[in-house]
Amino acid sequence: MSRKSVAQEAEEILLASDMIRLGARLQVLQTETSLSYDRLARLYREIRKASPPKGMLPYSVDWFMTWLPNIHATMFYSHFQFLNTHTPSTGTRALIDGYRLYLEQANAGRPESTDSEPVLSFTRAWMLLRFFDSNMLQLSDCTRCGGGFVAHAYEPKADFICAICQPPPRAGKTRARAAKKTRRVANTV
Ligand SMILES: [Zn+2]
């Protein structure tokens, strides 16, 4: 068995710390680093001042297809994909940096005091990438606005219309604001 170098271990602790601050569950940390369960649990308690939550991870592809989650997932994925493809920030680092950009964007224009949970949690963002890796999700180009949106894999792309161009009637007031934001990302990234 090859021993990890100190530098490599330090890098993994740094990644794990960043992920814990962003709200990652322990299962995510175990997958993304080679640190032991005990060390990760200790790190978690040091940073969050609480024990890591137990229980299953949210495992649902369909969640990403509902209206608001789909728009948020698309915002995050656009950032991740750009970083992972065009910058030195790749893999787990691109997940962290992409999620930070998503948070900045999702919180833009909201009052400073708003500390409500983001629509897309860090663990969900991580799940999203797993679903892409296992070919359960893909980006489909909307035939109306041209933006790339998170969609079920193997869905016919020819007549795809995105959640912004065809929102459900209940989408209501948040619609215009979310549309403006996502279109900006979809077009620039
Ligand atoms: Zn569209």
Side-chain angles (χ1 to χ4, degrees), residues 142 144-145 149 162 165:
C142 173
R144 287 196 194 162
C145 69
F149 283 79
C162 77
C165 292

Side-chain angles (χ1 to χ4, degrees), residues 141-149 160-166 183:
D141 290 337
C142 173
T143 48
R144 287 196 194 162
C145 69
F149 283 79
F160 176 75
I161 297 172
C162 77
I164 291 174
C165 292
Q166 205 168 57
R183 205 161 278 148

Side-chain angles (χ1 to χ4, degrees), residues 40-75:
L40 288 170
R42 223 170 76 198
L43 191 62
Y44 191 100
R45 278 193 294 270
E46 276 178 27
I47 292 173
R48 309 277 302 196
K49 315 281 183 235
S51 294
K54 293 193 166 60
M56 299 268 291
L57 293 183
Y59 187 87
S60 162
V61 181
D62 290 334
W63 183 85
F64 295 102
M65 297 305 131
T66 49
W67 183 73
L68 196 60
N70 186 265
I71 291 173
H72 282 251
T74 298
M75 287 195 321

Side-chain angles (χ1 to χ4, degrees), residues 6-149:
V6 176
Q8 192 188 343
E9 192 175 354
E11 171 63 18
E12 293 204 328
I13 290 174
L14 201 64
L15 284 175
S17 304
D18 282 348
M19 288 190 278
I20 291 169
R21 286 192 192 95
L22 291 172
R25 297 277 297 270
L26 217 58
Q27 291 97 318
V28 176
L29 308 174
Q30 282 182 284
T31 310
E32 296 300 316
T33 71
S34 58
L35 301 170
S36 72
Y37 177 89
D38 288 342
R39 299 201 71 183
L40 288 170
R42 223 170 76 198
L43 191 62
Y44 191 100
R45 278 193 294 270
E46 276 178 27
I47 292 173
R48 309 277 302 196
K49 315 281 183 235
S51 294
K54 293 193 166 60
M56 299 268 291
L57 293 183
Y59 187 87
S60 162
V61 181
D62 290 334
W63 183 85
F64 295 102
M65 297 305 131
T66 49
W67 183 73
L68 196 60
N70 186 265
I71 291 173
H72 282 251
T74 298
M75 287 195 321
F76 159 73
Y77 192 76
S78 304
H79 289 305
F80 167 81
Q81 203 188 28
F82 179 83
L83 293 170
N84 199 41
T85 316
H86 299 291
T87 74
S89 167
T90 58
T92 309
R93 184 44 72 189
L95 162 67
I96 292 169
D97 292 343
Y99 189 73
R100 282 185 179 139
L101 288 171
Y102 156 71
L103 281 185
E104 268 175 35
Q105 195 182 23
N107 292 329
R110 291 166 73 193
E112 284 290 324
S113 57
T114 311
D115 55 354
S116 57
E117 292 287 305
V119 173
L120 183 76
S121 70
F122 183 83
T123 298
R124 290 259 196 205
W126 174 80
M127 290 296 292
L128 179 77
L129 300 186
R130 310 274 291 178
F131 288 139
F132 267 93
D133 282 348
S134 51
N135 296 317
M136 293 168 80
L137 292 175
Q138 66 182 16
L139 271 195
S140 293
D141 290 337
C142 173
T143 48
R144 287 196 194 162
C145 69
F149 283 79

